[in-house]
Amino acid sequence: MLVLLPPSEGKASSGRGAPLKLEPLSLPGLGDARAAVLDELVELCAGDEDKAREVLGLSEGLRGEVAKNAELRTAGARPAGEIYTGVLYDALDLASLDAAAKKRATRSLLVFSGLWGAVRVNDRIPSYRCSMGVKLPGLGALGAHWRAPMAEVLPEVAGDGLVLDLRSSAYAAAWKPKGEVADRTATVRVLHAPTRKVVSHFNKATKGRIVRSLLTAGIAPKGPAELVEALRDLGYEVEVEAPAKAGKAWTLDVLVAEIH
């Protein structure tokens, strides 16, 4: 099973660990694309602060993020699972998983990123600010920048099991499963059952809980149909929309009665 996650906008501090090394990061086929984004982001943020803030879409209150990006090469690095915070990651709560579930998380979770492309939760990275929606002056839109290298690398990473896609639309644009990989891909929406509406906070929280439930139970479905059965066994209310033709992902709606 491969689980595709969005990053979090807010991140924990880098701390005092050893600085970033690109070479040991997972998915080495993304290395050149990572280096290109890192080089331009550091150069941008080491120059005109106001221009950098405009490019990154940062408010005045987030001006400090520019200086942080300028120091990415020397800042301490920590496991990505400790860097990413926010509602989804609070609900997932990687730190409290038992040893077996943590091993499953290391194998199966892949966090998408405007800066790194995608990383495993044990990859050591510094705290940064660069969303997939950013358009860097030299590289252009990051979603487009990542499409070609992702198309080369991700099909192999997906293996032959389920691909559980929990990314937001901006990050989903960087890689869209195709062909037989799409046939075993499931995307998930979390809906407030009484209204059938998506509400951002509990959408993220429930996705975090779903991943935690699967990791804790040691369940690794081979495809979307098995995932539906597994989630129902774990107590989730799931509605399914199977694709009309081959080469399309399944859509699963998880219904939640209470917003929390």
Side-chain angles (χ1 to χ4, degrees):
M1 178 175 66
L2 181 67
V3 182
L4 311 180
L5 296 175
S8 58
E9 286 296 323
K11 298 172 182 69
S13 63
S14 293
R16 297 184 178 180
L20 169 72
K21 292 185 179 180
L22 287 177
E23 293 78 10
L25 294 180
S26 301
L27 284 61
L30 301 179
D32 289 345
R34 285 174 178 146
V37 179
L38 180 62
D39 286 346
E40 183 165 353
L41 183 62
V42 169
E43 181 179 358
L44 171 71
C45 292
D48 185 327
E49 188 176 88
D50 289 329
K51 178 182 178 182
R53 195 160 57 84
E54 181 181 356
V55 169
L56 297 174
L58 301 177
S59 66
E60 175 66 30
L62 294 173
R63 183 177 288 273
E65 300 292 294
V66 175
K68 183 168 70 175
N69 280 349
E71 299 175 352
L72 284 171
R73 294 193 179 279
T74 56
R78 296 168 59 186
E82 297 177 14
I83 291 290
Y84 293 116
T85 59
V87 176
L88 188 155
Y89 290 91
D90 286 347
L92 174 53
D93 196 6
L94 287 168
S96 70
L97 294 174
D98 63 31
K102 285 180 179 177
K103 287 183 180 179
R104 296 181 195 110
T106 299
R107 291 195 305 266
S108 62
L109 304 187
L110 199 62
V111 184
F112 275 62
S113 162
L115 174 51
W116 316 113
V119 291
R120 302 284 190 185
V121 293
N122 61 331
D123 282 326
R124 298 181 65 84
I125 59 173
S127 184
Y128 68 96
R129 193 75 175 222
C130 184
S131 71
M132 190 66 80
V134 164
K135 294 182 179 179
L136 291 175
L139 293 177
L142 290 179
H145 171 75
W146 285 111
R147 281 186 199 122
M150 289 283 190
E152 289 280 337
V153 172
L154 266 295
E156 182 177 353
V157 175
D160 59 3
L162 170 73
V163 177
L164 176 54
D165 190 352
L166 302 179
R167 297 172 296 169
S168 55
S169 58
Y171 292 90
W175 180 61
K176 184 177 181 179
K178 296 181 180 180
E180 63 88 19
V181 179
D183 291 336
R184 47 189 169 84
T185 296
T187 63
V188 172
R189 297 188 306 172
V190 180
L191 304 181
H192 184 217
T195 63
R196 285 301 199 275
K197 292 181 178 180
V198 174
V199 179
S200 178
H201 179 90
F202 82 92
N203 172 56
K204 294 175 182 178
T206 303
K207 286 179 177 179
R209 294 186 190 106
I210 286 171
V211 177
R212 183 180 177 87
S213 295
L214 293 170
L215 294 173
T216 301
I219 299 172
K222 289 293 186 182
E226 288 186 30
L227 173 64
V228 173
E229 293 181 10
L231 291 179
R232 288 172 174 166
D233 288 344
L234 289 167
Y236 293 94
E237 184 179 354
V238 184
E239 295 179 349
V240 188
E241 182 180 334
K245 59 182 179 179
K248 299 290 184 181
W250 290 48
T251 299
L252 275 59
D253 287 340
V254 176
L255 306 182
V256 180
E258 296 181 2
I259 299 176
H260 60 89

